[in-house]
Amino acid sequence: MAAPVTGKIVFDQEGVFIHSSCGKLEDQDSLIPGTLCVIEKDVEVIVDWRPLEETLDSSNILCAVKDSSSVVQWNPTPKERTVGCAERQNSYETEWDMVNTVSFKKKQFANGGVQSPIYVQSKWSFLFSLTDLKSIKQNKEGMGWSYFVFCLKDDVILPALHFHQGGSELLLECLEKYVVLCESEQDSRILLVNCYNRSLSQSFENLHEEPTDSLLQKFKKDPYTATMVKFSKVTNFLADTIRGTDPSTRRRPPQEMADFLGDAIPDLKINQQEESGFEVITRIDVGTRPEVHRRDPVTTLEWDRNMDLEGRVRNVDHIKNIIFKGGLCHALRKEAWKFLLGYFPWDSTREERAQLQKRKTDEYFRMKLQWKSVSEEQENRNSRLRDYRSLIEKDVNRTDRTNKFYEGQDNPALILLHDILMTYCMYDFDLGYVQGMSDLLSPVLYVMENEVDAFWCFVSYMDQMHQNFEEQMQGMKTQLVQLSTLLRLLDSGFCSYLESQDSGYLYFCFRWLLIRFKREFSFHDILQVWEVMWTDLPCQNFHLLICCAILESEKKQIMERNYGFNEILKHINELSMKLDVNDVLCKAEAISLQMMKCKDLTSAVCEVLGLQNNCVPPTSDTTDGCIIKKHYQNSPSNNSTVPVLTANGTRSNSSLKSLPNNVHTPASPW
C-alpha cells in the first residue's frame, strides 16, 4: 500500500462522496465516502481523492523503476475515456520500456475503458496534477449539495465528487490561487481552467496592490522573467492577471502596459508613438548548409600505412578524420575499435599492447571468478546479485537473436554475453546491470569475437554512457536539454509545434540517446554509426546532431499530418530499421559545419558543441537556442504595440488586445 502524497496540504475536506452508478442512490453501498486534498508538492499542485478506507496501490503509480528500467503510465484511446463504476476501471496498463519505447501489458476489465496518462486510479482513488486540469463542471441549481466533475486535458472525465458536508466553495477559492477560472460561454455550469506558472506569478501577485517601482524591482531581479525566451510567458500572465476572469474588465491602457514592460526588461524597445508600427522578429541566421559526401570505409592498407615500425599510430588526427568520413572496413574493426574506445592508447607499441592485454586478461578472470564461485546459499542472501543475474538472463535471451552470431539455442555467444555482463556487475557493483546495457555490449562482442577484449572495450564504452544508466539518469536529463537547445536554434517553429503537442520534452528521442541508436539502424549500420561517434569529431556531442538530422527529415510529415503526442511517439518508434545511415550522417555533418561557420552562436549552443570561439555573450535578447533580432517599421494603427516573439521568427502585428494566449515556451524536460 502506498503512502499518501507528501507535501504541503492547502485544502483538506472529508465527506466528499462518489455516487457509484452501479447501484441506486438509496443503497448506501453505492455511496463511497472519501477525502479530497489539494497538495503543494515541489513545483506541482496535486488534487488527490481517496476512499476513507483505501490508499493507492503503489503498482499503479507513475514511476521509474531502476531494476526493470521501465515507466508505468496509462495509455489513452480515442474512444470511451470516461471512468464510471467499479467495473469500468483501467483496462490496459502501459509499460514504457526505456529500450522498447512502448509495450503493452494487458490488464483487461469488463468494459474495455481506458484511463489517461495524466492520472492513476486504484479502485476509486485518483489523483492528478492541476496543470492537467481542463475544466470543472458544477451541478445544476436545486440540488441539496454541490458536486464537481473534473475534466482533464485529454478529455478524460473523472467521477463526480459530491460535497455532502459542504466545502465546494472553499475548494474553488483554493484552486483560484493557482489557476484562473472563468465561465464557459456555451455552458455557465462549466468553469474553464487557465493555468499560470506559480513561480512567475509570485513576481506579479501584488500587481494591483504594490507600487509599480517595487514590482519592477522584483521583476528585474528574477532571471527567469528577465530573458526574452520567457517573454511570451510574461505577456500572457500580464494579460490574464490584469484582465481577470472577464476580458472586458480591469484592462490597463496599452501605453501603460508598454511603459511597464519597457522598464521591466532593459534595452527592450517598444513603440509608444501615436502612429504605432509592427515588429519584425527574426532568429539568428546560421548561414547556408554545405553539401557533404561520405567516402569509402578505411581499409587495412590505409591503417597499416599509418603505423610505424613499432606499431604506433603515427597520424592520429588523420586516422580519426578518415574514420569519421567513411567508417571502417569490417576486417579492421577488431583492432581499430580498441583504439577508438580507449582500451589501447594511440601511442602504444605492439609490445606494450600485448603486455596490457595480458594484465587485463588476468584482471578479467579474477572478477569473473568472484561471481562464478558464489554458492547458491550465498546468492540467496545477496538480493542485488540475484536480481542482476535474473535481469541479465532475461535480456540476453532476447538480444539480437535474429543475428546469426546470436541465433539458435545454446549459442556460445549468448553464454559470453551473459558472462561479460555478470563480470561487469563485479567491476561496477553499484551500477550493476540495467536494461539496455546488453544492447551496447552485443555489437562489441560481435566485432571482438573475444571475451576479454569485448569486456574491456565495453567497460570503456560504459565509461561514456554511465550516467545514462544511473538511478537519477542525469545523463539522459542533460542530453534531452542539450538536444532541445540545438533543435531550437535549427528550427524554433518545429520546437514550438512539438511543445503545442506536449512533446517539447523530446521524450520520443529517449531510446535514441539511451543506447545510441542501437535499435534505429540495422546491425551492420550501427557499427559504422558508433565508430563515427567514437572519433569525437567534428565536435562534442555529435550524436545530438544525428538526432537533429533525423528529426529534420521527419518534421514535414509530423507537422503536415498534425501529429499529436501519441502519433509522434508512434511515428518515431516506427522509424526503426528504416533510416538511411549515409543520409543521416551526411546531414548531421552538414549541420555541424553550418554551426561552426556561424560566429553568433549562443553560449549554450557553444557549450553543447564545444565551440567556445563561436559564441556571443548572453543577453536579454538571447534564447536557449537562438538570438532574437528586433526590427521596427511603422504602419498605421491606433494601438501601441508590444513585442511578441513568434515561433518561426516571422513578423507579428500585436497590440495588448491580441497578446497570444497559447504561446508555448521552452521547458525543462525533467
Side-chain angles (χ1 to χ4, degrees), residues 10 46 121 123 142 165 244 286 303 341 376 398 440 462 503 514 586 604 670:
V10 295
I46 304 297
Q121 178 170 338
K123 295 187 177 179
Q165 300 175 14
V286 293
W303 179 266
L341 284 167
E376 184 176 351
R398 61 185 184 184
L440 298 183
M462 281 302 301
S503 298
L514 182 74
C586 281
W670 295 97

Side-chain angles (χ1 to χ4, degrees), residues 645-663:
L645 297 186
T646 57
N648 57 3
T650 56
R651 183 176 71 188
S652 173
N653 291 328
S654 177
S655 68
L656 178 63
K657 292 184 289 186
S658 60
L659 285 172
N661 290 317
N662 59 349
V663 175

Side-chain angles (χ1 to χ4, degrees), residues 261-318:
L261 294 174
D263 290 337
I265 304 180
D267 301 323
L268 179 63
K269 305 299 182 182
I270 302 178
N271 190 339
Q272 301 181 49
Q273 300 176 359
E274 283 286 319
E275 187 174 301
S276 60
F278 61 81
E279 178 186 29
V280 180
I281 303 176
T282 59
R283 63 184 181 88
I284 185 174
D285 181 8
V286 293
T288 58
R289 184 173 299 173
E291 187 175 348
V292 171
H293 301 282
R294 293 190 60 73
R295 53 156 284 167
D296 293 332
V298 179
T299 64
T300 54
L301 181 60
E302 288 178 290
W303 179 266
D304 292 340
R305 283 176 181 170
N306 278 274
M307 289 283 187
D308 66 16
L309 294 177
E310 294 183 318
R312 296 184 183 88
V313 179
R314 287 186 296 193
N315 192 336
V316 177
D317 290 340
H318 172 68

Side-chain angles (χ1 to χ4, degrees), residues 38-68:
V38 179
I39 305 167
E40 287 185 0
K41 180 176 175 60
D42 299 326
V43 296
E44 277 193 301
V45 178
I46 304 297
V47 177
D48 182 359
W49 184 91
R50 60 187 65 211
L52 291 179
E53 298 179 357
E54 290 184 322
T55 58
L56 283 174
D57 182 353
S58 61
S59 65
N60 288 343
I61 297 291
L62 180 67
C63 62
V65 185
K66 178 180 184 292
D67 291 340
S68 65

Side-chain angles (χ1 to χ4, degrees), residues 416-572:
L416 292 181
L417 201 65
H418 170 274
D419 287 359
I420 291 172
L421 292 171
M422 284 297 298
T423 306
Y424 185 81
C425 291
M426 296 294 103
Y427 176 82
D428 189 348
F429 198 78
D430 285 344
L431 179 64
Y433 178 79
V434 181
Q435 184 188 17
M437 288 164 58
S438 63
D439 281 273
L440 298 183
L441 173 60
S442 171
V444 175
L445 179 59
Y446 169 82
V447 167
M448 294 299 144
E449 298 179 312
N450 175 282
E451 182 178 4
V452 175
D453 288 344
F455 173 81
W456 290 111
C457 286
F458 175 66
V459 165
S460 297
Y461 197 9
M462 281 302 301
D463 287 345
Q464 302 175 28
M465 305 292 290
H466 199 279
Q467 282 193 311
N468 283 14
F469 296 96
E470 292 171 0
E471 191 164 7
Q472 300 301 319
M473 304 191 74
Q474 187 56 49
M476 294 302 301
K477 300 175 186 180
T478 300
Q479 288 175 90
L480 286 168
V481 172
Q482 291 174 334
L483 178 56
S484 177
T485 298
L486 296 178
L487 193 61
R488 183 160 296 279
L489 169 66
L490 293 170
D491 197 329
S492 58
F494 184 41
C495 278
S496 295
Y497 175 82
L498 294 176
E499 288 160 6
S500 71
Q501 303 302 321
D502 295 326
S503 298
Y505 296 137
L506 305 180
Y507 286 145
F508 51 82
C509 299
F510 196 96
R511 184 175 70 187
W512 298 0
L513 301 173
L514 182 74
I515 53 175
R516 292 292 164 89
F517 311 103
K518 168 62 167 54
R519 300 287 183 91
E520 315 317 315
F521 293 94
S522 68
F523 195 90
H524 176 75
D525 287 343
I526 198 60
L527 305 182
Q528 181 183 172
V529 172
W530 282 5
E531 61 202 14
V532 165
M533 292 190 300
W534 291 339
T535 64
D536 293 326
L537 295 174
C539 59
Q540 294 177 8
N541 292 310
F542 182 69
H543 67 287
L544 299 180
L545 298 183
I546 293 177
C547 294
C548 292
I550 298 172
L551 292 176
E552 184 176 281
S553 298
E554 303 306 315
K555 177 188 93 169
K556 182 178 180 181
Q557 181 172 340
I558 290 173
M559 295 184 70
E560 286 186 351
R561 299 188 182 181
N562 198 31
Y563 283 166
F565 178 89
N566 288 333
E567 291 83 4
I568 294 172
L569 180 61
K570 180 175 182 290
H571 176 74
I572 295 298

Side-chain angles (χ1 to χ4, degrees), residues 2 5 41 44 46 56-65 70-75 93-97 115-122 127-129 132 505 507 565 670:
V5 177
K41 180 176 175 60
E44 277 193 301
I46 304 297
L56 283 174
D57 182 353
S58 61
S59 65
N60 288 343
I61 297 291
L62 180 67
C63 62
V65 185
S70 61
V71 175
V72 176
Q73 66 181 43
W74 303 100
N75 183 54
E93 183 179 340
T94 304
E95 182 179 287
W96 177 24
D97 187 306
Q115 290 183 334
S116 159
I118 302 174
Y119 70 98
V120 296
Q121 178 170 338
S122 172
L127 60 87
F128 60 89
S129 171
D132 297 319
Y505 296 137
Y507 286 145
F565 178 89
W670 295 97

